[in-house]
Amino acid sequence: MQREAVQLLFDYNAWANERILAAAEGLSEAQYNADVPGLSHGSIRATFVHALGAEIIWRRRCLEGISPTTLLPAADVPTFAALRQRWLAEDAALREGVARLTNDALAAPLAYTTTRGTPMQDTLWQVLVHVLNHGTQHRAEVAVALTAFGRSPGDVDLIVYLREK
């Protein structure tokens, strides 16, 4: 996979994250923290914390050569505003890091250790596509919950991003 394609996908990822976060901005604390059927992590807040934490871990593995041992603690983003600010910074860091990659780097193996301590090795571009797919899964879950609360994020398909771009 070419760097330009990966970069475009991470630009889309940031755009889609912002659409979901903007839709969630008006939630009450009760809605933000409520246990919602269908969310893999229980609440919108917990699902957001998990998805953001995963992006942080994978960025550190892929772009910094560091294998964190724990996910982002929920206490590190105690409010929606704190989570949103952290996520916007994370999206920027991911996009900047991906922009610096070469095609050769994308095709190279990436050695890392899981949070359980298991050594792994995968091709960098495949790991980066996994990061994008993981975010899509959790955005879709949250979009359903937001829609049930009357706060649909609207269409977050890649083709919509491309047409708006």
Side-chain angles (χ1 to χ4, degrees):
M1 182 169 265
Q2 299 294 308
R3 183 191 56 79
E4 292 81 10
V6 174
Q7 189 170 4
L8 176 126
L9 291 172
F10 274 94
D11 290 346
Y12 158 73
N13 187 65
W15 172 87
N17 283 342
E18 176 52 32
R19 299 239 356 203
I20 295 292
L21 291 167
E25 190 167 21
L27 291 174
S28 69
E29 282 296 312
Q31 291 170 322
Y32 185 55
N33 291 294
D35 193 31
V36 178
L39 286 177
S40 57
H41 294 277
S43 68
I44 290 173
R45 178 178 191 255
T47 303
F48 275 160
V49 171
H50 168 78
L52 171 58
E55 282 195 9
I56 292 168
I57 281 182
W58 284 113
R59 176 185 50 80
R60 298 197 68 207
R61 288 174 180 158
C62 294
L63 303 174
E64 297 175 7
I66 297 168
S67 291
T69 58
T70 60
L71 282 167
L72 174 70
D76 285 6
V77 285
T79 65
F80 176 76
L83 178 128
R84 188 174 190 179
Q85 181 179 5
R86 180 85 181 262
W87 210 327
L88 294 176
E90 182 58 31
D91 278 337
L94 267 167
R95 292 163 68 194
E96 288 170 16
V98 167
R100 289 191 304 267
L101 293 173
T102 64
N103 290 333
D104 288 341
L106 286 166
L110 171 72
Y112 60 94
T113 304
T114 67
T115 56
R116 292 190 175 117
T118 306
M120 302 295 287
Q121 183 170 296
D122 296 292
T123 304
L124 179 58
W125 78 262
Q126 293 172 339
V127 172
L128 291 170
V129 170
H130 160 73
V131 173
L132 297 163
N133 191 57
H134 181 264
T136 297
Q137 174 188 340
H138 292 302
R139 277 193 303 271
E141 292 175 6
V142 171
V144 170
L146 289 169
T147 300
F149 287 132
R151 303 205 48 84
S152 172
D155 196 344
V156 292
D157 287 340
L158 174 62
I159 197 70
V160 172
Y161 166 74
L162 294 172
R163 288 174 182 158
E164 285 184 10
K165 185 178 176 242

